[in-house]
Amino acid sequence: MKDPARFVDEAIAQLRREVAGTAIVAASGGIDSTAAAVLAERALGERARAIFVDTGLLREGEVDTVSDLFRAAGLRFEVVPAADRFLSALDGVADPEEKRRRIGTAFIRLFEAEAARFGTDRLIQGTIAPDWIESGGSLRDTIKTHHNVGGVPADSKLRLVEPLRDLYKDEVRAVAKFLGIPSPDRQPFPGPGLAVRVAGPVTAERLRRARVANAIVEEEVQRAVREGTIPPPWQYFAVLLPVRTVGVLGDNRVHGEAVSVRVVESVDAMTATAAGLPRPVLGRISERITRALHGEVVRVLYDITDKPPATIEWE
Ligand code: XMP
């Protein structure tokens, strides 16, 4: 990439060419779509409106964190509550690609309605290069359908505008930093949210377990970083696995679920290395997850696989 200042000038000019009237921005609170939303704000001012969807697949406290971030970044935005809609779209679905397609479609239908309300057909997205490269094209197999690419139905009238589509993650971070977006090194979080961290069927109960476990991993890793025990990892999270496993609570046998903890180092998400965690940090994570989810999660595993062959997310 050329330097961020030049990229930003050109992206703003390009957005003004592509959007004559108004546009909505699909804003998830992640670094990519926040950068796209700030570019849209700079290019279009009040003609752009960021839409943050509360899918019910978000992390603990995420609606508040993201709202604070958007306020700090000076965005005009709306929070659209849609948890029931997403949960029913996922009802009975265990296949990872089908999950991504259903979530993508639910997002697009919702954005179509929001666009109509705002009097536009333009949807600005924070799609970056790995999203469409990994979503397949003529030259590559589909690794994963990234929700912001795979879910656009052929009959949609929305016209996509993607100012970051040629950038890689490290380049987006440089742009975000240049744009003054607060904490541009926030870890990545997938568009389909906790749905891809609940391996297998997604239910409200299983989502709650994944959310609790994920929050504990985030808290303990961040605590270790604050205490100077480890440098900040690139990405760290928990995944609820689609297996039942036997545990023991007091004198009783229980048949509970299992959680995998994943911590990776990466530069551009195309490859990644499984990172180690000090034994006491691992011990606290395991102890806290099994205590908070008493009898529901009875086993905690640590994922030691690099990408490739594994991907970063489990699904
Ligand atoms: P994978 O699992 O493919 O993930 O190795 C690479 C990086 O992308 C994130 N990820 C997504 N981001 N939409 C996104 O915006 C998605 O559908 C999606 N799936 C995975 C993942 O967290 C990792 O940082």
Side-chain angles (χ1 to χ4, degrees):
M1 187 185 63
K2 349 163 209 311
D3 71 297
R6 251 186 81 191
F7 173 83
V8 166
D9 283 347
E10 286 173 16
I12 288 174
Q14 178 72 16
L15 278 167
R16 288 182 179 146
R17 278 194 297 275
E18 283 186 56
V19 181
T22 54
I24 58 168
V25 188
S28 69
I31 193 70
D32 306 345
S33 61
T34 306
V38 172
L39 285 173
E41 174 71 34
R42 300 255 174 111
L44 308 170
E46 64 179 12
R47 291 192 284 129
R49 175 73 46 87
I51 304 290
F52 175 67
V53 183
D54 179 359
T55 57
L57 307 172
L58 301 171
R59 287 169 292 184
E60 194 70 53
E62 193 153 15
V63 174
D64 292 337
T65 331
V66 171
S67 300
D68 290 346
L69 170 74
F70 286 175
R71 272 189 286 272
L75 292 178
R76 281 159 248 248
F77 70 99
E78 280 177 36
V79 179
V80 178
D84 291 348
R85 187 195 283 227
F86 280 82
L87 202 55
S88 53
L90 289 168
D91 189 32
V93 181
D95 178 71
E97 279 298 286
E98 184 61 20
K99 278 186 191 175
R100 285 169 177 275
R101 276 191 293 274
R102 299 239 188 154
I103 291 169
T105 305
F107 265 116
I108 290 292
R109 295 302 177 218
L110 194 143
F111 285 128
E112 283 172 341
E114 291 302 310
R117 211 160 57 81
F118 200 51
T120 184
D121 63 353
R122 303 295 155 127
L123 174 65
I124 299 174
Q125 287 201 137
T127 314
I128 65 171
D131 298 341
W132 56 268
I133 292 171
E134 294 203 344
S135 288
S138 51
L139 296 177
R140 289 178 64 110
D141 290 337
T142 298
I143 299 169
K144 291 181 188 182
T145 305
H146 277 224
H147 80 100
N148 38 358
V149 180
V152 187
D155 64 351
S156 178
K157 297 209 165 37
L158 283 176
R159 304 266 304 271
L160 294 183
V161 180
E162 300 179 319
L164 308 174
R165 61 172 288 115
D166 295 325
L167 301 193
Y168 284 84
K169 204 84 187 181
D170 48 330
E171 297 173 318
V172 178
R173 286 187 166 158
V175 168
K177 192 162 179 200
F178 177 80
L179 289 170
I181 294 172
S183 13
D185 286 330
R186 222 167 80 95
Q187 63 162 328
F189 184 64
L194 294 177
V196 294
R197 295 184 182 171
V198 173
V202 181
T203 61
E205 273 294 279
R206 299 195 73 226
L207 259 177
R208 180 182 56 79
R209 289 175 196 143
R211 181 175 293 118
V212 167
N214 199 76
I216 290 171
V217 171
E218 289 195 359
E219 283 167 24
E220 289 301 331
V221 168
Q222 285 162 9
R223 181 219 296 249
V225 170
R226 262 197 324 276
E227 291 174 352
T229 318
I230 55 168
W234 201 77
Q235 201 168 0
Y236 42 99
F237 54 91
V239 179
L240 187 71
L241 301 182
V243 292
R244 299 296 293 273
T245 172
V246 175
V248 54
L249 290 184
D251 289 337
N252 298 323
R253 170 195 186 277
V254 286
H255 203 199
E257 294 201 272
V259 157
S260 171
V261 175
R262 182 130 172 89
V263 183
V264 296
E265 293 301 345
S266 180
V267 174
D268 59 7
M270 300 296 284
T271 61
T273 314
L277 279 187
R279 187 65 185 81
V281 180
L282 289 171
R284 247 192 330 267
I285 289 174
S286 166
E287 200 270 323
R288 282 191 61 194
I289 290 176
T290 49
R291 189 153 38 89
L293 297 167
H294 192 73
E296 298 175 272
V297 169
V298 295
R299 201 174 294 271
V300 178
L301 313 171
Y302 194 72
D303 186 344
I304 55 171
T305 333
D306 294 342
K307 172 183 182 177
T311 53
I312 294 177
E313 304 288 345
W314 271 57
E315 291 196 332

